[in-house]
Amino acid sequence: MHDYIGHPYIDIGLATIAAFSHKQHPSQISESDMSAIADYMTKEYVRQPLRSFLTVVFPNSGFTQPAFFKSPERQQDYANRVLRGYAKGIPTLDETCAFTGEPAIAIAFGDKEGMPVGRAFRQHVPLTLGEETINFYPYGDAGLPVSGEALLAIQAFPLGCAKCAGRLLAVHSDNNEILFHFANSFLIENRKAVQLAQAAGSKKMPGPHFAFRTLLIDTLLRADQMQQESVEFQEPFSLTIYHMSNSGQGPELDIYELPFEIAGFLRDMEQPRFRTEWQAIVRAAWEVPPESKQKKQKEQPFRPSRNMLYESLFELPENGNRFIRTYFLRIAIRRTRNENDPRVNYSTRREAQLVSWKITARFLWRVMHMDKERIEIIRRMGDCLADYINRQNDRYLYTNFRNQNYHQFRTALLRANLAEVKRGNPPIIEFDSYIEVFEFAENDAMPRWRLARDLVFIKMIERLYQSGWLDTNADAVADIIDEDEELTTKVEED
C-alpha cells in the first residue's frame, strides 16, 4: 500500500507514478505499475532530451554523468539500483527510510568502490549533500537511508514537475486531488515535450510557454475540483511551490505560497454567478504587444506569456489594497519596466463595465477577511451616493470623491450631505455608517480610509454605469490617478 506522506519529493513522485499508470491515487499502485514507469525511466533518462534536463535534478548520477554515456551496461546497472529497489526479494537493512519509516534497502546506489549500502546522496535526492560531506547527518554518518519505493518515487519526481527557466517547478498541496492534478498535468506535458524534441532531433526539452506563476494559476484553474458547482462546504486548500535546481554549478531553491484564501477565491470565481465578469477582468490582464513591435505581429502573432493578474495573486493578501485599485477599480499603473504590461492602459472611465461589486465583495470576504456586515454597510453607502449623484447630477462629488487629501474628501461629502438636507431630504450618509466605514477598521491600528473610499467608489461606479449616468456625463469623468503608485519592477525572466 502506498500513500502520501507530506513530503514533496515522495508525494509528487507517487502521484506521478499513479498518473503514469492511469490511476487516481497512490493506494492503487501495483508492482506492475512501478515496473512500467521504471521501464520508461530506464529508457528515457539515458537519452536526450531528458538526459540534459536531468542535470538540474540528478547531477553526476548514472543518468547524467558523461563517464557513463559510452557504457550502456553501467547505465543499465545504475538504473536497476535506483529504480528497482521496490521488487520482492531485495535485502533490507535494520535502518529505516528517512522518508517513509520503512526498511531501507541493502544495495549501493552506484558502482563506485566504497559506496555505502542503502545510502542516497545528492545525485539521488535533490538538494541533499554529497558523498564526502558528513555535516547535518546523525553521528556523522553521511547519506540518507531510503527504501526502494521512496527512491523510485524520488526518481519519478521530475516527470511530475514543470521545466521553467532552467529549473524544476514542483507543486505540492494539502489537497490530494489538487496535488495529483498538477503531477498529472505536468507529466502529460513533459511526455509530449520529450516526443517533440526527439522527433526534431533536439537535445533540449522545450519548456512551457507561460511564465511559471501564470502557468501555476492556469493549471490550477483547469483542475476538476475548481470547476465543481457546490463550493461553500468544500475543504480549503493551499499550494506550496518549489522552484529549484540541484545543479552542481549552483543549487537554488525559491519557495512560493498560494494560501487557502487565494485558492478559495479562485474557486469561487469559477462558479456561474461570477465566471463571466471574472473572465472579462482576467482577459484584460494578459500581456499585450508593445507599440514598437505591432507591425511585426502581422508576420508572427504575439503570444502572451504572462497574465498580470495571475502574477499579482502571489503578492496577496499583503498587497490587497493595490490589487483592488488595479484590477477592480481599473486604475492604471503609469510607470512600469515591462513594455508588455496592459495595466498602463487601464481606465475607470473606459472600462467601467469591468467594475464589479459582486467580485470585489467576494474578494474582501475571502482574501481580506472583512466582516460581511461591514461589506454590506459599504455596499449600501455606495448605492446611496450613486443614487444621489444620479438624481442631483452632482459632478463635484463624483470628481472629488477620490481626493488625495482626507479633509478635502470629507468636505466634499459634508457639502453633499448638507445640500440634500436643505432640500428637505434625509442625509445621504449618516454619522454611524460614516464612522464604521471611514474611521474604523477592525483589527487595524490605523483606519484605512483610502481603501474604504476605493471600495465605496467601486460600488458607485457600478451603479452609475448601470444607470447610464457615466455615459451621459463622459465629459466630466476623468481617468483616476493612483496617488499611492510605486514603481512596478520589471518582471523577472522565468
Side-chain angles (χ1 to χ4, degrees):
M1 296 293 289
H2 310 275
D3 202 354
Y4 298 120
I5 64 171
H7 194 288
Y9 293 167
I10 305 300
D11 290 353
I12 295 173
L14 287 176
T16 302
I17 296 171
F20 187 91
S21 305
H22 306 289
K23 305 291 178 62
Q24 297 297 315
H25 191 272
S27 61
Q28 301 170 341
I29 295 174
S30 65
E31 186 167 333
S32 62
D33 295 331
M34 291 188 285
S35 295
I37 196 169
D39 291 342
Y40 177 84
M41 290 188 285
T42 299
K43 177 183 177 182
E44 299 296 344
Y45 277 16
V46 298
R47 63 176 183 164
Q48 302 293 11
L50 283 178
R51 188 172 72 186
S52 293
F53 174 61
L54 289 177
T55 58
V56 303
V57 193
F58 304 124
N60 297 318
S61 70
F63 299 129
T64 60
Q65 175 57 253
F68 282 71
F69 294 170
K70 296 182 180 180
S71 302
E73 301 82 5
R74 289 189 70 191
Q75 286 193 318
Q76 181 66 49
D77 176 69
Y78 178 82
N80 287 334
R81 290 171 185 267
V82 299
L83 299 178
R84 310 284 179 174
Y86 59 84
K88 294 179 180 178
I90 298 293
T92 59
L93 301 172
D94 292 335
E95 291 183 285
T96 57
C97 174
F99 298 98
T100 66
E102 296 185 355
I105 51 177
I107 51 178
F109 305 131
D111 59 3
K112 180 180 177 180
E113 185 177 353
M115 176 76 73
V117 172
R119 294 274 166 169
F121 301 95
R122 183 178 179 182
Q123 66 267 35
H124 313 115
V125 181
L127 300 179
T128 54
L129 299 175
E131 298 172 26
E132 306 300 327
T133 307
I134 64 173
N135 295 11
F136 311 112
Y137 289 113
Y139 309 109
D141 194 0
L144 291 174
V146 293
S147 67
E149 293 85 350
L151 190 56
L152 175 65
I154 294 169
Q155 302 306 298
F157 166 74
L159 293 174
C161 302
K163 175 191 175 186
C164 287
R167 289 196 271 173
L168 208 63
L169 188 71
V171 181
H172 192 257
S173 178
D174 51 3
N175 181 295
N176 292 345
E177 294 179 18
I178 296 296
L179 168 63
F180 177 85
H181 168 75
F182 273 97
N184 183 49
S185 298
F186 292 156
L187 173 65
I188 292 171
E189 294 303 318
N190 286 333
R191 297 187 71 179
K192 288 181 181 178
V194 168
Q195 291 178 338
L196 289 173
Q198 291 174 347
S202 174
K203 295 181 180 180
K204 185 176 181 181
M205 182 173 170
H209 176 71
F210 288 154
F212 78 85
R213 295 179 186 86
T214 297
L215 173 67
L216 289 168
I217 301 301
D218 180 74
T219 305
L220 173 63
L221 293 178
R222 288 188 276 109
D224 290 340
Q225 191 179 33
M226 301 294 288
Q227 308 293 330
Q228 294 176 7
E229 296 295 330
S230 177
V231 299
E232 296 294 338
F233 303 104
Q234 291 183 13
E235 289 293 327
F237 65 89
S238 60
L239 299 182
T240 303
I241 300 98
Y242 304 89
H243 197 202
M244 57 182 287
S245 170
N246 192 38
S247 171
Q249 298 178 350
E252 297 177 280
L253 174 63
D254 293 318
I255 302 177
Y256 304 89
E257 297 283 347
L258 193 71
F260 71 89
E261 297 97 333
I262 314 303
F265 173 73
L266 290 174
R267 189 165 55 186
D268 289 346
M269 293 301 102
E270 290 300 307
Q271 305 313 304
R273 64 184 184 276
F274 298 109
R275 186 182 298 133
T276 300
E277 296 171 63
W278 173 250
Q279 288 180 348
I281 295 172
V282 170
R283 282 195 298 270
W286 284 102
E287 285 181 320
V288 295
E291 294 182 4
S292 60
K293 299 180 181 179
Q294 284 183 354
K295 294 181 180 180
K296 298 181 180 179
Q297 301 310 312
K298 296 180 181 179
E299 301 177 1
Q300 187 176 2
F302 176 77
R303 291 183 62 200
S305 62
R306 290 180 176 85
N307 184 290
M308 307 313 294
L309 185 151
Y310 289 171
E311 302 277 319
S312 297
L313 290 171
F314 290 88
E315 301 173 359
L316 296 174
E318 287 80 7
N319 290 328
N321 295 13
R322 177 171 293 279
F323 191 94
I324 289 171
R325 285 197 302 272
T326 302
Y327 300 107
F328 299 157
L329 194 48
R330 315 304 298 172
I331 297 179
I333 292 177
R334 294 174 298 164
R335 297 178 296 173
T336 177
R337 296 185 182 136
N338 180 8
E339 61 180 355
N340 298 328
D341 197 331
R343 297 173 297 178
V344 297
N345 294 315
Y346 280 7
S347 167
T348 306
R349 176 173 54 85
R350 296 193 309 272
E351 300 178 301
Q353 75 279 4
L354 297 180
V355 177
S356 170
W357 172 255
K358 178 172 59 179
I359 289 176
T360 304
R362 199 67 168 186
F363 182 87
L364 294 173
W365 177 63
R366 276 287 196 186
V367 178
M368 303 191 73
H369 302 291
M370 184 177 289
D371 182 80
K372 287 186 176 182
E373 183 177 350
R374 188 161 186 253
I375 295 174
E376 177 61 18
I377 294 173
I378 293 172
R379 184 197 67 79
R380 290 198 303 265
M381 181 178 291
D383 283 343
C384 288
L385 288 169
D387 290 344
Y388 164 80
I389 291 173
N390 189 28
R391 185 172 63 252
Q392 301 299 336
N393 198 30
D394 192 338
R395 295 184 175 191
Y396 178 86
L397 177 59
Y398 179 90
T399 56
N400 284 275
F401 193 81
R402 287 198 85 259
N403 199 299
Q404 298 181 26
N405 185 288
Y406 176 68
H407 297 291
Q408 294 176 7
F409 161 78
R410 185 175 58 184
T411 299
L413 287 178
L414 289 172
R415 171 179 167 174
N417 233 20
L418 182 60
E420 190 72 346
V421 171
K422 286 182 177 179
R423 296 185 185 101
N425 299 323
I428 51 178
I429 298 180
E430 296 180 350
F431 176 80
D432 289 344
S433 60
Y434 180 89
I435 295 298
E436 174 67 23
V437 173
F438 296 110
E439 297 285 354
F440 170 75
E442 186 178 2
N443 298 325
D444 284 348
M446 295 292 290
R448 295 182 293 176
W449 75 272
R450 285 196 177 98
L451 171 61
R453 175 203 57 193
D454 290 346
L455 296 176
V456 174
F457 198 56
I458 287 172
K459 191 66 186 81
M460 290 169 57
I461 291 290
E462 181 186 66
R463 198 166 180 91
L464 289 171
Y465 173 77
Q466 293 170 349
S467 69
W469 187 89
L470 289 179
D471 289 336
T472 58
N473 291 272
D475 59 321
V477 179
D479 279 330
I480 301 168
I481 298 175
D482 189 355
E483 69 273 11
D484 298 325
E485 182 184 1
E486 298 174 358
L487 180 65
T488 301
T489 58
K490 182 179 179 180
V491 179
E492 295 180 0
E493 293 296 329
D494 295 330

